[in-house]
Amino acid sequence: MLETPFCGGVSLEKHLHEFFLHRAIDLALQNVQENGGPFGAVISRNNQIIAEGVNRVTSSHDPTAHAEVMAIRKACHSLQTFELRDCILYSSCEPCPMCLGAIYWARIPTVYFAADRKDAASIHFDDEFIYREVQLDPANRTLPFIQLPLVNSLQPFMNWSKKVDRTHY
């Protein structure tokens, strides 16, 4: 169990959420000092940290290496599962659309964040255009998204649906 000081008048649960969120912010601050992006994330389960992540986009040459995604990868690896239904994610900033998708796919039920997307946009981390693009039909997006149906396009889905020993996710 994590050692955290109790503040009078504040519930222990609220204090734990603040403790984990402060940890995410501390990770982001440390990452900035190490020339990384200003983002940190923590995943807890049963009031214990099970994974942490920081933005590694530039250092790993990976545009998907956001703090939340890195923490989700570590948590899933550590727990040997692809679902984090009994976990909480804490992020130094409101998750971007990609991270939001990863959070939903990991089935994390609760997310706490400190700064919001407007705060991120004010320092040129603006994801508003992605939020708008996601809502559009593929043919109407800024980038060309061209469906090219092939004879066997649906074969992977058909094979999957017939597979009796498949793992649902």
Side-chain angles (χ1 to χ4, degrees), residues 55-58 60-66 69 73 96 98-99:
N55 184 287
R56 293 279 187 233
V57 170
T58 57
S60 67
H61 310 289
D62 179 356
T64 69
H66 289 202
V69 171
R73 289 173 182 165
C96 76
M98 178 186 68
C99 293

Side-chain angles (χ1 to χ4, degrees), residues 69-124:
V69 171
M70 299 302 286
I72 289 169
R73 289 173 182 165
K74 288 177 185 175
C76 288
H77 181 76
S78 174
L79 298 174
Q80 292 295 288
T81 184
F82 56 86
E83 295 181 328
L84 302 172
R85 291 180 186 270
D86 56 351
C87 297
I88 298 173
L89 186 139
Y90 300 86
S91 181
S92 62
C93 185
E94 180 180 358
C96 76
M98 178 186 68
C99 293
L100 183 62
I103 290 163
Y104 277 102
W105 279 115
R107 294 173 176 72
I108 297 171
T110 308
V111 176
Y112 289 85
F113 63 93
D116 66 19
R117 68 174 90 168
K118 292 177 187 131
D119 299 318
S122 74
I123 59 164
H124 306 290

Side-chain angles (χ1 to χ4, degrees), residues 14-156:
K14 182 176 187 294
H15 188 68
L16 280 170
H17 294 312
E18 290 175 354
F19 175 80
F20 293 131
L21 196 52
H22 277 292
R23 176 63 185 153
I25 293 168
D26 288 344
L27 289 168
L29 288 168
Q30 180 181 343
N31 202 45
V32 168
Q33 282 185 318
E34 297 170 2
N35 294 320
F39 304 99
V42 169
I43 296 178
S44 75
R45 184 172 94 169
N46 298 326
N47 297 328
Q48 293 186 346
I49 293 174
I50 59 166
E52 297 178 334
V54 294
N55 184 287
R56 293 279 187 233
V57 170
T58 57
S59 64
S60 67
H61 310 289
D62 179 356
T64 69
H66 289 202
E68 297 89 343
V69 171
M70 299 302 286
I72 289 169
R73 289 173 182 165
K74 288 177 185 175
C76 288
H77 181 76
S78 174
L79 298 174
Q80 292 295 288
T81 184
F82 56 86
E83 295 181 328
L84 302 172
R85 291 180 186 270
D86 56 351
C87 297
I88 298 173
L89 186 139
Y90 300 86
S91 181
S92 62
C93 185
E94 180 180 358
C96 76
M98 178 186 68
C99 293
L100 183 62
I103 290 163
Y104 277 102
W105 279 115
R107 294 173 176 72
I108 297 171
T110 308
V111 176
Y112 289 85
F113 63 93
D116 66 19
R117 68 174 90 168
K118 292 177 187 131
D119 299 318
S122 74
I123 59 164
H124 306 290
F125 286 96
D126 192 352
D127 298 323
E128 199 56 42
F129 73 97
I130 299 174
Y131 284 103
R132 287 191 305 270
E133 289 280 306
V134 167
Q135 298 176 46
L136 299 174
D137 287 329
N140 297 327
R141 293 184 181 145
T142 304
L143 297 174
F145 275 73
I146 304 158
Q147 184 176 17
L148 187 59
L150 301 175
V151 173
N152 63 345
S153 293
L154 298 179
Q155 195 63 51

